[in-house]
Amino acid sequence: MRSKNGAGGRVSFIQAARRRQIIGAAIETVTAVGYGQSSLARIAEQAEISKSVISYHFANKDELLEQVVAQVMDDWAAFMRPFLEAESTATGRLSAYIRSRLAYMRDNQTRLVAVAEIIVNHRGPDGRPVFAERDAAPVAELVELLRSGQQAGEFRGFDPVVLAMTITQGIDGALTYWADHPGTDLTAYGEELVTLFGLATQQPRSIS
């Protein structure tokens, strides 16, 4: 970061607010014109500031867009955390995971459309996706949740990686479907997923 920090190396309140404004403008720009057309000049125009102000806070477009993804993903995880922590069983945590992930999606469509656009298109000098590791983090968290349910005897035997990927695709697919069908009720969509994956994980009933 190229910003001038205050005492103790901390970013001042004004600097932090400016960074949030720029990140917000980047989100709006990427959503409106796509990743390839989101130049610093366009982002500056959206924020109603000069391009030099962006350059003061971010080294380049790559750093700015990487911060967009980091902020949104961190906010998403922070939003979900209390819902997960309120549950004492793996079954409850799985339901809370699905519901809270979709609840954040419902209230942050623009942010998540921009993040999806950046994740798909943003690549490093070697041509590899920059966000491959970060994108895999939610899957790893879900794998751990499913394994804990198996170890506790709540869930049946299955490959937790396969099911975690299936759940993730089911949730992420909601954003694409919602973008094409704005009238979709994401709460109802989430309840269908809760029912579906509740059935997929539950122990088989013994036949007496």
Side-chain angles (χ1 to χ4, degrees):
M1 184 178 71
R2 296 172 56 181
S3 60
K4 299 175 183 177
N5 295 339
R10 292 174 297 180
V11 177
S12 72
F13 174 81
I14 293 174
Q15 290 170 331
R18 178 64 82 186
R19 286 173 63 86
R20 286 195 298 271
Q21 178 195 12
I22 294 168
I23 287 172
I27 289 170
E28 294 290 341
T29 304
V30 172
T31 303
V33 302
Y35 174 87
Q37 300 301 316
S38 295
S39 63
L40 289 184
R42 284 197 173 189
I43 294 169
E45 182 180 359
Q46 177 69 34
E48 298 183 344
I49 57 177
S50 68
K51 183 179 172 181
S52 63
V53 173
I54 297 180
S55 298
Y56 178 85
H57 291 277
F58 300 94
N60 48 43
K61 173 184 169 180
D62 286 351
E63 183 190 356
L64 171 55
L65 295 185
E66 287 163 14
Q67 284 299 308
V68 168
V69 174
Q71 178 175 300
V72 173
M73 298 302 283
D74 289 347
D75 287 351
W76 201 350
F79 174 83
M80 294 172 63
R81 191 172 301 117
F83 294 98
L84 294 170
E85 292 177 348
E87 299 295 334
S88 59
T89 66
T91 301
R93 285 193 295 276
L94 178 58
S95 297
Y97 181 96
I98 295 170
R99 289 184 177 120
S100 62
R101 200 156 177 83
L102 281 161
Y104 184 88
M105 187 182 296
R106 182 188 62 232
D107 297 334
N108 295 274
Q109 184 181 29
T110 299
R111 301 180 91 200
L112 294 176
V113 167
V115 165
E117 177 82 4
I118 295 167
I119 287 175
V120 169
N121 291 285
H122 194 53
R123 296 177 180 271
D126 60 358
R128 299 180 63 184
V130 170
F131 297 106
E133 184 175 341
R134 176 177 277 272
D135 204 28
V139 176
E141 178 185 6
L142 194 49
V143 167
E144 181 58 31
L145 190 162
L146 295 172
R147 281 182 177 150
S148 70
Q150 289 176 323
Q151 291 166 357
E154 291 184 53
F155 295 159
R156 66 175 180 83
F158 53 79
D159 185 328
V161 174
V162 172
L163 195 55
M165 286 297 299
T166 305
I167 295 170
T168 300
Q169 292 296 322
I171 294 172
D172 291 350
L175 183 62
T176 302
Y177 186 81
W178 188 33
D180 294 333
H181 303 83
T184 300
D185 183 342
L186 284 190
T187 300
Y189 189 109
E191 291 306 309
E192 288 292 344
L193 292 183
V194 167
T195 299
L196 175 63
F197 292 113
L199 292 170
T201 56
Q202 71 180 12
Q203 290 281 10
R205 296 180 179 179
S206 59
I207 300 175
S208 57

